[in-house]
Amino acid sequence: MLLLFFFLGPAVIVYSIFSVYPLIATMSLSTFTSDSSGALHFVGLENYRLLLMDKDWREPFWNAFLNNIWFFIIHMAVQNPIGIAIAGLLSLPHLKFRGTYRTLIFTPTMLSVVIIGFSWNLILSPLWGISEGFLKFFGLGAFFQPWLGLESSALITIGLISVWQFVGIPLMLIYAALLNVPSELVDAARIDGLSHMRIFFSVKLPLIAPTIGLVSILTFVGNFNAFDLVYSIKGALAGPNFSTDLLGTFFYRTFFGNQLQLGSPTMGATIATAMFLIILIGVCIYLYGIQRRLERHSF
Amino acid sequence: MAKLSLHQLSKSYGSAEILKDISLDIKNGEFVVLVGPSGCGKSTLLRLIAGLDPVTSGSISIGDRIVNDLEPAQRKIAMVFQTYALYPHKNVRENMTFGLKYAGLPAEEISRRVDEASRMLQLQDLLTRKPKDLSGGQRQRVAIGRAIVREPDVFLFDEPLSNLDASLRVSTRVELSRLHTLLKSTMIYVTHDQIEAMTLADRIVVMNKGRIEQTGTPLELYYQPANLFVAGFIGSPKMNQFSAILRNATAATGFGLSVPVKGGDEGSAVTIGIRPEHFVVGREGEHPHAARVELVERLGEISHLHMKLNSGELMIAEWRGRDAPSIGDSLSLAAETSNIHLFDAKGVRI
Amino acid sequence: MQLKWRVGLIHSFLIAYSLIAVLPILLVVMNSFKIRKAIFGTPLALPSAETFSLVGYVKVLGNANIGIYFFNSLSVTLISMATVLLFGAMAAWALAEYRFKGSNLLALFLSIGIMVPIRLGSISILHMMVDLNLVNTRLALILVYTAQGLPMAIFILSEFISQIPRDLRDAARCDGVPEIAIFFQVIAPLLRPAIATVAVFTIVPIWNDLWFPLLLAPGNDTQTITLGIQQFIGQYITDWNSVLAALSVAIIPVLVIYLIFSRQLISGLTAGAVK
């Protein structure tokens, strides 16, 4: 008993106090409101009614939520297919320079989102003109636009920057899963006369389906928790005209306040709880809807 | 050194009964081998004796004390594992002394024991090496050395040779025998290999499905197996088993072999067992039972003949000498009457 | 012939993507060593004798605080890493080795943190740090990062511990080694290969984090390098030399460490920690 406490105590205590308790406290704070003196009053689900019904709250919330869904779709449609494709190529037998490619492609993942955000901000800036020059080189100069500054393209651009940075994560997880597919299985398929392409799609891909499921849910959690990239490129106001606002930046702005409004801890807590519920629903769909159906194979 | 006794020992995991009512007395200095097919509970029994798993009911005593509730280290046992279980980050000497330090032994005593054990096992030149720099046989010797320096009352071996290649297995087996003569300790050894069991043991315990089928010296098991399971398990190739009907105090098989029987129920089904090496094989017509050769396994000095009797039953007989028959040859057989085994309908020896 | 074609195609695709991955980073680092005119005139060219300049670095490194920021990041990350590894390994060992009432429930409780980001509790964390008088201390960051890193570390290390042969622990028990010593002397030294995996999943996010430094330790003495650079750039946004140099100062050390350890990091990552 004493032994268990010795081994588990430190982890459980630190984790409970600084992770689980704040989460619960935040949820409970979301059922209060504060008056001008700062005193808290219990209001039940009033804050949620405000968030979903009140004109001043509803619009930014749905805007951020829909943007976030877009953000997630961009990652699922671009990041994960690229990750799977590169992992598939890297796991081909007898490929030279495998390690070098792996190292290079994983590099952006190691760097800070803030640094990446600023770097892309500069690269895409019309002031520097480097992207425009680059497009001109291919005769595509006419297509250049200040993508990060336009309401229509800012979110997609930020989404693609995020894809560029984090493609390493699905790449590595799927690559590791592919390495675990026994080589005998691939050899057997080759003797059966299947091409590498067919082997990848009909032998390897079904076997690593659980990993793809895991990658999807990790992407979901990461996306609905994203903040740093938008904040470093666009600041807390997530411009132009909130077109890049995600739940994370909306939460930050609400809690801390900004040029437009005062900060509100209770509404911030309400948004955080809403984010928690969204993530929870996603995780539950994954655990009970998807993961169960994916057969796990042990080799 | 000490005697060891198990009294009505049982072990269950949930509703699964792994060991049922095991009672066994092991004499001081005896080398006992637990043998049986995989899943028979022999390794579990060893772990119970070691104290690595708690017993469900019954008692274990080592020397004169009941050790049920003692930690492994307090039982005065030492164990050699199948995977050797050497600490990969410690060198040979550290592997041997690691436990002794916690026993609070003085440094001189520790180094005396290490010197003695490493001389006994020719490990002197390896003491500063890490396990990864040792061969399989050397690792095995270190594992044994680690057991020896504990100067235990009882040595426990859990399939210690099964990770070695064939030739090393034979030489290490001989080594272990020599060690037992030298140390005169009580040793309990688990294996699924009947050759190891026959060559090493003072006494063999044959286990099956969580029970002891028979306990006896190697020759007792070979010549007087208590039941069909033991008869089939000890000896290679397996003992031939023929079904027969008991009439007029004689058991008769379908191909015309009849054996006189004392006792047994008239008209009941019995089994006659004859080992392949206990047949006399001759040309067609030379002996009473005709048979055709279907397959020949040539092992050199001896060959195993897989044959079909004229009743349709299949059997194996041993042939000595170089000029073994070929497939399709018609031969004849006789059984050595002194080496015929009889089992009743429940498989118990008559 | 056809095979050669295909191999060539695969390599050109991989080379193209590798360039996409590293070119933007190289562009920033490269131009940070150039004079302002060359940054705009020939952004794709390597710095030459004429265009080479360290003016940006002089400004950035002249900022006395950069050293402090680095020290803050380093100390917060290293101490968090040490506690995550120590507490995480101890808990993982207990969960993997000892069966006790509620052990499954406890494992579930600890794994919540893998899926639910700790950021969502930020408001209460801030309140708590205010009450504990820990705002603008490195300790606040260390505590939060430890709590943040533990669930994933426990998950990875449990998988790792369950691969250590059972015989090894049994042998130590037969040797009479006390349980605590079994962990520290037998198990812990064997966990070294798992450190790389834990590092990728818990340590890198700590070094790169902006959220908690912004929230809990925005003071000048406790800023981490990520936050410091962010603020610095905000101040000098039009001074391209300084901005590029500041970005490079943040990138280069990580890049160097990454390139040195990339083999271990990636093999740790692909060793099947997350199957």
Side-chain angles (χ1 to χ4, degrees), chain B residues 173-202:
Chain B
R173 210 169 66 203
V174 174
E175 192 81 347
L176 274 174
S177 259
R178 192 180 62 84
L179 214 59
H180 180 237
T181 327
L182 203 69
L183 296 169
K184 302 185 181 65
S185 305
T186 312
M187 294 187 173
I188 304 178
Y189 185 107
V190 162
T191 181
H192 61 268
D193 182 321
Q194 49 150 321
I195 310 256
E196 277 173 34
M198 299 291 279
T199 50
L200 285 170
D202 293 328

PDB file of all heavy atoms in Angstrom, chain B residues 173-202:
ATOM      1  N   ARG B 173      23.770 -29.891 -19.946  1.00  0.00           N
ATOM      2  CA  ARG B 173      23.070 -30.898 -19.174  1.00  0.00           C
ATOM      3  C   ARG B 173      24.061 -31.696 -18.325  1.00  0.00           C
ATOM      4  O   ARG B 173      23.855 -31.898 -17.130  1.00  0.00           O
ATOM      5  CB  ARG B 173      22.366 -31.841 -20.155  1.00  0.00           C
ATOM      6  CG  ARG B 173      21.117 -32.460 -19.651  1.00  0.00           C
ATOM      7  CD  ARG B 173      20.407 -33.131 -20.796  1.00  0.00           C
ATOM      8  NE  ARG B 173      21.151 -34.259 -21.317  1.00  0.00           N
ATOM      9  CZ  ARG B 173      21.005 -34.740 -22.548  1.00  0.00           C
ATOM     10  NH1 ARG B 173      20.163 -34.170 -23.380  1.00  0.00           N
ATOM     11  NH2 ARG B 173      21.694 -35.768 -22.946  1.00  0.00           N
ATOM     12  N   VAL B 174      25.150 -32.101 -18.969  1.00  0.00           N
ATOM     13  CA  VAL B 174      26.181 -32.852 -18.261  1.00  0.00           C
ATOM     14  C   VAL B 174      26.757 -31.997 -17.129  1.00  0.00           C
ATOM     15  O   VAL B 174      26.942 -32.459 -15.995  1.00  0.00           O
ATOM     16  CB  VAL B 174      27.290 -33.270 -19.237  1.00  0.00           C
ATOM     17  CG1 VAL B 174      28.440 -33.932 -18.502  1.00  0.00           C
ATOM     18  CG2 VAL B 174      26.725 -34.184 -20.305  1.00  0.00           C
ATOM     19  N   GLU B 175      26.970 -30.716 -17.451  1.00  0.00           N
ATOM     20  CA  GLU B 175      27.496 -29.762 -16.475  1.00  0.00           C
ATOM     21  C   GLU B 175      26.597 -29.681 -15.240  1.00  0.00           C
ATOM     22  O   GLU B 175      27.054 -29.683 -14.102  1.00  0.00           O
ATOM     23  CB  GLU B 175      27.568 -28.397 -17.160  1.00  0.00           C
ATOM     24  CG  GLU B 175      28.336 -27.362 -16.427  1.00  0.00           C
ATOM     25  CD  GLU B 175      29.827 -27.525 -16.656  1.00  0.00           C
ATOM     26  OE1 GLU B 175      30.266 -28.575 -17.181  1.00  0.00           O
ATOM     27  OE2 GLU B 175      30.546 -26.610 -16.278  1.00  0.00           O
ATOM     28  N   LEU B 176      25.286 -29.629 -15.494  1.00  0.00           N
ATOM     29  CA  LEU B 176      24.325 -29.514 -14.398  1.00  0.00           C
ATOM     30  C   LEU B 176      24.365 -30.748 -13.507  1.00  0.00           C
ATOM     31  O   LEU B 176      24.297 -30.650 -12.282  1.00  0.00           O
ATOM     32  CB  LEU B 176      22.905 -29.332 -14.957  1.00  0.00           C
ATOM     33  CG  LEU B 176      22.493 -27.915 -15.292  1.00  0.00           C
ATOM     34  CD1 LEU B 176      21.132 -27.906 -15.960  1.00  0.00           C
ATOM     35  CD2 LEU B 176      22.465 -27.067 -14.037  1.00  0.00           C
ATOM     36  N   SER B 177      24.496 -31.914 -14.134  1.00  0.00           N
ATOM     37  CA  SER B 177      24.583 -33.150 -13.371  1.00  0.00           C
ATOM     38  C   SER B 177      25.801 -33.113 -12.441  1.00  0.00           C
ATOM     39  O   SER B 177      25.727 -33.448 -11.262  1.00  0.00           O
ATOM     40  CB  SER B 177      24.746 -34.339 -14.328  1.00  0.00           C
ATOM     41  OG  SER B 177      23.534 -34.989 -14.483  1.00  0.00           O
ATOM     42  N   ARG B 178      26.918 -32.677 -13.025  1.00  0.00           N
ATOM     43  CA  ARG B 178      28.165 -32.594 -12.273  1.00  0.00           C
ATOM     44  C   ARG B 178      28.001 -31.632 -11.090  1.00  0.00           C
ATOM     45  O   ARG B 178      28.417 -31.894  -9.963  1.00  0.00           O
ATOM     46  CB  ARG B 178      29.271 -32.093 -13.204  1.00  0.00           C
ATOM     47  CG  ARG B 178      30.677 -32.217 -12.685  1.00  0.00           C
ATOM     48  CD  ARG B 178      31.651 -31.682 -13.724  1.00  0.00           C
ATOM     49  NE  ARG B 178      31.455 -30.260 -14.006  1.00  0.00           N
ATOM     50  CZ  ARG B 178      31.987 -29.272 -13.269  1.00  0.00           C
ATOM     51  NH1 ARG B 178      32.744 -29.546 -12.246  1.00  0.00           N
ATOM     52  NH2 ARG B 178      31.734 -28.021 -13.585  1.00  0.00           N
ATOM     53  N   LEU B 179      27.327 -30.502 -11.373  1.00  0.00           N
ATOM     54  CA  LEU B 179      27.107 -29.481 -10.357  1.00  0.00           C
ATOM     55  C   LEU B 179      26.287 -30.038  -9.193  1.00  0.00           C
ATOM     56  O   LEU B 179      26.559 -29.765  -8.025  1.00  0.00           O
ATOM     57  CB  LEU B 179      26.366 -28.317 -11.008  1.00  0.00           C
ATOM     58  CG  LEU B 179      26.688 -26.930 -10.505  1.00  0.00           C
ATOM     59  CD1 LEU B 179      28.152 -26.631 -10.689  1.00  0.00           C
ATOM     60  CD2 LEU B 179      25.847 -25.918 -11.267  1.00  0.00           C
ATOM     61  N   HIS B 180      25.287 -30.837  -9.531  1.00  0.00           N
ATOM     62  CA  HIS B 180      24.443 -31.406  -8.482  1.00  0.00           C
ATOM     63  C   HIS B 180      25.232 -32.352  -7.604  1.00  0.00           C
ATOM     64  O   HIS B 180      25.115 -32.353  -6.379  1.00  0.00           O
ATOM     65  CB  HIS B 180      23.245 -32.134  -9.099  1.00  0.00           C
ATOM     66  CG  HIS B 180      22.349 -32.745  -8.080  1.00  0.00           C
ATOM     67  ND1 HIS B 180      22.039 -34.076  -8.051  1.00  0.00           N
ATOM     68  CD2 HIS B 180      21.724 -32.193  -7.011  1.00  0.00           C
ATOM     69  CE1 HIS B 180      21.251 -34.320  -7.018  1.00  0.00           C
ATOM     70  NE2 HIS B 180      21.044 -33.197  -6.371  1.00  0.00           N
ATOM     71  N   THR B 181      26.105 -33.151  -8.230  1.00  0.00           N
ATOM     72  CA  THR B 181      26.946 -34.049  -7.445  1.00  0.00           C
ATOM     73  C   THR B 181      27.845 -33.254  -6.513  1.00  0.00           C
ATOM     74  O   THR B 181      28.065 -33.619  -5.362  1.00  0.00           O
ATOM     75  CB  THR B 181      27.843 -34.880  -8.396  1.00  0.00           C
ATOM     76  OG1 THR B 181      27.126 -35.122  -9.583  1.00  0.00           O
ATOM     77  CG2 THR B 181      28.268 -36.164  -7.753  1.00  0.00           C
ATOM     78  N   LEU B 182      28.342 -32.133  -7.019  1.00  0.00           N
ATOM     79  CA  LEU B 182      29.284 -31.310  -6.268  1.00  0.00           C
ATOM     80  C   LEU B 182      28.598 -30.588  -5.110  1.00  0.00           C
ATOM     81  O   LEU B 182      29.078 -30.593  -3.979  1.00  0.00           O
ATOM     82  CB  LEU B 182      29.869 -30.288  -7.242  1.00  0.00           C
ATOM     83  CG  LEU B 182      31.217 -29.665  -6.908  1.00  0.00           C
ATOM     84  CD1 LEU B 182      32.290 -30.730  -7.032  1.00  0.00           C
ATOM     85  CD2 LEU B 182      31.493 -28.532  -7.904  1.00  0.00           C
ATOM     86  N   LEU B 183      27.475 -29.966  -5.389  1.00  0.00           N
ATOM     87  CA  LEU B 183      26.813 -29.122  -4.392  1.00  0.00           C
ATOM     88  C   LEU B 183      25.914 -29.917  -3.466  1.00  0.00           C
ATOM     89  O   LEU B 183      25.639 -29.493  -2.346  1.00  0.00           O
ATOM     90  CB  LEU B 183      25.956 -28.038  -5.087  1.00  0.00           C
ATOM     91  CG  LEU B 183      26.688 -27.018  -5.929  1.00  0.00           C
ATOM     92  CD1 LEU B 183      25.696 -26.204  -6.762  1.00  0.00           C
ATOM     93  CD2 LEU B 183      27.491 -26.076  -5.041  1.00  0.00           C
ATOM     94  N   LYS B 184      25.429 -31.058  -3.926  1.00  0.00           N
ATOM     95  CA  LYS B 184      24.539 -31.915  -3.143  1.00  0.00           C
ATOM     96  C   LYS B 184      23.311 -31.161  -2.646  1.00  0.00           C
ATOM     97  O   LYS B 184      22.779 -31.432  -1.588  1.00  0.00           O
ATOM     98  CB  LYS B 184      25.281 -32.540  -1.949  1.00  0.00           C
ATOM     99  CG  LYS B 184      26.485 -33.362  -2.358  1.00  0.00           C
ATOM    100  CD  LYS B 184      27.104 -34.049  -1.157  1.00  0.00           C
ATOM    101  CE  LYS B 184      28.325 -34.863  -1.530  1.00  0.00           C
ATOM    102  NZ  LYS B 184      29.438 -34.013  -2.035  1.00  0.00           N
ATOM    103  N   SER B 185      22.877 -30.159  -3.413  1.00  0.00           N
ATOM    104  CA  SER B 185      21.706 -29.380  -2.991  1.00  0.00           C
ATOM    105  C   SER B 185      20.427 -30.006  -3.517  1.00  0.00           C
ATOM    106  O   SER B 185      20.449 -30.767  -4.476  1.00  0.00           O
ATOM    107  CB  SER B 185      21.780 -27.964  -3.536  1.00  0.00           C
ATOM    108  OG  SER B 185      22.969 -27.360  -3.166  1.00  0.00           O
ATOM    109  N   THR B 186      19.324 -29.608  -2.896  1.00  0.00           N
ATOM    110  CA  THR B 186      18.021 -29.973  -3.417  1.00  0.00           C
ATOM    111  C   THR B 186      17.764 -29.145  -4.675  1.00  0.00           C
ATOM    112  O   THR B 186      17.977 -27.933  -4.669  1.00  0.00           O
ATOM    113  CB  THR B 186      16.937 -29.639  -2.386  1.00  0.00           C
ATOM    114  OG1 THR B 186      17.371 -30.162  -1.131  1.00  0.00           O
ATOM    115  CG2 THR B 186      15.604 -30.245  -2.767  1.00  0.00           C
ATOM    116  N   MET B 187      17.356 -29.805  -5.751  1.00  0.00           N
ATOM    117  CA  MET B 187      17.114 -29.069  -6.989  1.00  0.00           C
ATOM    118  C   MET B 187      15.774 -29.477  -7.580  1.00  0.00           C
ATOM    119  O   MET B 187      15.438 -30.666  -7.612  1.00  0.00           O
ATOM    120  CB  MET B 187      18.219 -29.349  -8.009  1.00  0.00           C
ATOM    121  CG  MET B 187      19.582 -28.823  -7.582  1.00  0.00           C
ATOM    122  SD  MET B 187      20.808 -28.990  -8.870  1.00  0.00           S
ATOM    123  CE  MET B 187      22.184 -28.106  -8.133  1.00  0.00           C
ATOM    124  N   ILE B 188      15.037 -28.478  -8.024  1.00  0.00           N
ATOM    125  CA  ILE B 188      13.775 -28.752  -8.713  1.00  0.00           C
ATOM    126  C   ILE B 188      13.877 -28.133 -10.098  1.00  0.00           C
ATOM    127  O   ILE B 188      14.259 -26.968 -10.246  1.00  0.00           O
ATOM    128  CB  ILE B 188      12.576 -28.155  -7.957  1.00  0.00           C
ATOM    129  CG1 ILE B 188      12.571 -28.681  -6.529  1.00  0.00           C
ATOM    130  CG2 ILE B 188      11.276 -28.511  -8.663  1.00  0.00           C
ATOM    131  CD1 ILE B 188      11.456 -28.117  -5.693  1.00  0.00           C
ATOM    132  N   TYR B 189      13.572 -28.940 -11.099  1.00  0.00           N
ATOM    133  CA  TYR B 189      13.896 -28.574 -12.473  1.00  0.00           C
ATOM    134  C   TYR B 189      12.667 -28.805 -13.333  1.00  0.00           C
ATOM    135  O   TYR B 189      12.095 -29.881 -13.343  1.00  0.00           O
ATOM    136  CB  TYR B 189      15.051 -29.489 -12.889  1.00  0.00           C
ATOM    137  CG  TYR B 189      15.661 -29.233 -14.241  1.00  0.00           C
ATOM    138  CD1 TYR B 189      16.913 -28.651 -14.336  1.00  0.00           C
ATOM    139  CD2 TYR B 189      15.027 -29.621 -15.396  1.00  0.00           C
ATOM    140  CE1 TYR B 189      17.506 -28.457 -15.571  1.00  0.00           C
ATOM    141  CE2 TYR B 189      15.606 -29.415 -16.632  1.00  0.00           C
ATOM    142  CZ  TYR B 189      16.849 -28.833 -16.718  1.00  0.00           C
ATOM    143  OH  TYR B 189      17.436 -28.644 -17.941  1.00  0.00           O
ATOM    144  N   VAL B 190      12.253 -27.764 -14.041  1.00  0.00           N
ATOM    145  CA  VAL B 190      11.073 -27.876 -14.904  1.00  0.00           C
ATOM    146  C   VAL B 190      11.505 -27.979 -16.357  1.00  0.00           C
ATOM    147  O   VAL B 190      12.380 -27.237 -16.802  1.00  0.00           O
ATOM    148  CB  VAL B 190      10.166 -26.644 -14.727  1.00  0.00           C
ATOM    149  CG1 VAL B 190       9.200 -26.516 -15.882  1.00  0.00           C
ATOM    150  CG2 VAL B 190       9.403 -26.734 -13.424  1.00  0.00           C
ATOM    151  N   THR B 191      10.939 -28.917 -17.092  1.00  0.00           N
ATOM    152  CA  THR B 191      11.249 -29.026 -18.510  1.00  0.00           C
ATOM    153  C   THR B 191      10.093 -29.709 -19.225  1.00  0.00           C
ATOM    154  O   THR B 191       9.261 -30.348 -18.603  1.00  0.00           O
ATOM    155  CB  THR B 191      12.545 -29.835 -18.734  1.00  0.00           C
ATOM    156  OG1 THR B 191      12.807 -29.887 -20.125  1.00  0.00           O
ATOM    157  CG2 THR B 191      12.413 -31.233 -18.185  1.00  0.00           C
ATOM    158  N   HIS B 192      10.041 -29.517 -20.553  1.00  0.00           N
ATOM    159  CA  HIS B 192       9.079 -30.306 -21.313  1.00  0.00           C
ATOM    160  C   HIS B 192       9.812 -31.375 -22.104  1.00  0.00           C
ATOM    161  O   HIS B 192       9.222 -32.131 -22.838  1.00  0.00           O
ATOM    162  CB  HIS B 192       8.267 -29.407 -22.250  1.00  0.00           C
ATOM    163  CG  HIS B 192       9.117 -28.694 -23.250  1.00  0.00           C
ATOM    164  ND1 HIS B 192       9.627 -27.443 -23.016  1.00  0.00           N
ATOM    165  CD2 HIS B 192       9.576 -29.082 -24.450  1.00  0.00           C
ATOM    166  CE1 HIS B 192      10.372 -27.082 -24.059  1.00  0.00           C
ATOM    167  NE2 HIS B 192      10.353 -28.052 -24.935  1.00  0.00           N
ATOM    168  N   ASP B 193      11.145 -31.415 -21.916  1.00  0.00           N
ATOM    169  CA  ASP B 193      11.987 -32.313 -22.701  1.00  0.00           C
ATOM    170  C   ASP B 193      12.230 -33.585 -21.897  1.00  0.00           C
ATOM    171  O   ASP B 193      12.876 -33.565 -20.849  1.00  0.00           O
ATOM    172  CB  ASP B 193      13.307 -31.590 -23.000  1.00  0.00           C
ATOM    173  CG  ASP B 193      14.237 -32.419 -23.859  1.00  0.00           C
ATOM    174  OD1 ASP B 193      14.303 -33.656 -23.657  1.00  0.00           O
ATOM    175  OD2 ASP B 193      14.901 -31.850 -24.721  1.00  0.00           O
ATOM    176  N   GLN B 194      11.731 -34.705 -22.393  1.00  0.00           N
ATOM    177  CA  GLN B 194      11.829 -35.927 -21.598  1.00  0.00           C
ATOM    178  C   GLN B 194      13.248 -36.456 -21.504  1.00  0.00           C
ATOM    179  O   GLN B 194      13.600 -37.125 -20.540  1.00  0.00           O
ATOM    180  CB  GLN B 194      10.886 -36.991 -22.143  1.00  0.00           C
ATOM    181  CG  GLN B 194      11.012 -37.164 -23.622  1.00  0.00           C
ATOM    182  CD  GLN B 194      10.697 -38.574 -24.015  1.00  0.00           C
ATOM    183  OE1 GLN B 194      11.062 -39.515 -23.325  1.00  0.00           O
ATOM    184  NE2 GLN B 194      10.005 -38.718 -25.126  1.00  0.00           N
ATOM    185  N   ILE B 195      14.096 -36.126 -22.509  1.00  0.00           N
ATOM    186  CA  ILE B 195      15.492 -36.568 -22.421  1.00  0.00           C
ATOM    187  C   ILE B 195      16.169 -35.890 -21.231  1.00  0.00           C
ATOM    188  O   ILE B 195      16.872 -36.527 -20.438  1.00  0.00           O
ATOM    189  CB  ILE B 195      16.268 -36.208 -23.704  1.00  0.00           C
ATOM    190  CG1 ILE B 195      15.505 -36.661 -24.940  1.00  0.00           C
ATOM    191  CG2 ILE B 195      17.686 -36.746 -23.641  1.00  0.00           C
ATOM    192  CD1 ILE B 195      15.993 -37.880 -25.629  1.00  0.00           C
ATOM    193  N   GLU B 196      15.938 -34.549 -21.096  1.00  0.00           N
ATOM    194  CA  GLU B 196      16.492 -33.845 -19.938  1.00  0.00           C
ATOM    195  C   GLU B 196      15.985 -34.474 -18.659  1.00  0.00           C
ATOM    196  O   GLU B 196      16.733 -34.693 -17.702  1.00  0.00           O
ATOM    197  CB  GLU B 196      16.067 -32.363 -19.961  1.00  0.00           C
ATOM    198  CG  GLU B 196      16.937 -31.504 -20.824  1.00  0.00           C
ATOM    199  CD  GLU B 196      16.378 -30.095 -20.961  1.00  0.00           C
ATOM    200  OE1 GLU B 196      15.784 -29.596 -19.991  1.00  0.00           O
ATOM    201  OE2 GLU B 196      16.548 -29.508 -22.044  1.00  0.00           O
ATOM    202  N   ALA B 197      14.701 -34.778 -18.624  1.00  0.00           N
ATOM    203  CA  ALA B 197      14.111 -35.354 -17.420  1.00  0.00           C
ATOM    204  C   ALA B 197      14.775 -36.687 -17.092  1.00  0.00           C
ATOM    205  O   ALA B 197      15.201 -36.934 -15.966  1.00  0.00           O
ATOM    206  CB  ALA B 197      12.610 -35.531 -17.610  1.00  0.00           C
ATOM    207  N   MET B 198      14.888 -37.563 -18.089  1.00  0.00           N
ATOM    208  CA  MET B 198      15.434 -38.903 -17.849  1.00  0.00           C
ATOM    209  C   MET B 198      16.894 -38.836 -17.416  1.00  0.00           C
ATOM    210  O   MET B 198      17.325 -39.588 -16.547  1.00  0.00           O
ATOM    211  CB  MET B 198      15.331 -39.749 -19.122  1.00  0.00           C
ATOM    212  CG  MET B 198      13.933 -39.985 -19.632  1.00  0.00           C
ATOM    213  SD  MET B 198      12.939 -41.047 -18.592  1.00  0.00           S
ATOM    214  CE  MET B 198      13.518 -42.664 -19.088  1.00  0.00           C
ATOM    215  N   THR B 199      17.672 -37.931 -18.033  1.00  0.00           N
ATOM    216  CA  THR B 199      19.110 -37.943 -17.755  1.00  0.00           C
ATOM    217  C   THR B 199      19.463 -37.239 -16.456  1.00  0.00           C
ATOM    218  O   THR B 199      20.440 -37.593 -15.813  1.00  0.00           O
ATOM    219  CB  THR B 199      19.898 -37.278 -18.897  1.00  0.00           C
ATOM    220  OG1 THR B 199      19.285 -36.015 -19.178  1.00  0.00           O
ATOM    221  CG2 THR B 199      19.889 -38.132 -20.134  1.00  0.00           C
ATOM    222  N   LEU B 200      18.693 -36.239 -16.067  1.00  0.00           N
ATOM    223  CA  LEU B 200      19.098 -35.441 -14.908  1.00  0.00           C
ATOM    224  C   LEU B 200      18.505 -35.937 -13.601  1.00  0.00           C
ATOM    225  O   LEU B 200      19.114 -35.822 -12.546  1.00  0.00           O
ATOM    226  CB  LEU B 200      18.664 -33.983 -15.111  1.00  0.00           C
ATOM    227  CG  LEU B 200      19.470 -33.151 -16.100  1.00  0.00           C
ATOM    228  CD1 LEU B 200      18.780 -31.824 -16.359  1.00  0.00           C
ATOM    229  CD2 LEU B 200      20.880 -32.922 -15.577  1.00  0.00           C
ATOM    230  N   ALA B 201      17.299 -36.504 -13.666  1.00  0.00           N
ATOM    231  CA  ALA B 201      16.512 -36.636 -12.446  1.00  0.00           C
ATOM    232  C   ALA B 201      16.913 -37.806 -11.567  1.00  0.00           C
ATOM    233  O   ALA B 201      17.278 -38.871 -12.044  1.00  0.00           O
ATOM    234  CB  ALA B 201      15.045 -36.775 -12.818  1.00  0.00           C
ATOM    235  N   ASP B 202      16.845 -37.579 -10.236  1.00  0.00           N
ATOM    236  CA  ASP B 202      16.767 -38.687  -9.305  1.00  0.00           C
ATOM    237  C   ASP B 202      15.346 -39.233  -9.359  1.00  0.00           C
ATOM    238  O   ASP B 202      15.106 -40.420  -9.301  1.00  0.00           O
ATOM    239  CB  ASP B 202      17.047 -38.234  -7.867  1.00  0.00           C
ATOM    240  CG  ASP B 202      18.494 -37.781  -7.701  1.00  0.00           C
ATOM    241  OD1 ASP B 202      19.354 -38.353  -8.391  1.00  0.00           O
ATOM    242  OD2 ASP B 202      18.741 -36.866  -6.898  1.00  0.00           O
TER     243      ASP B 202
END
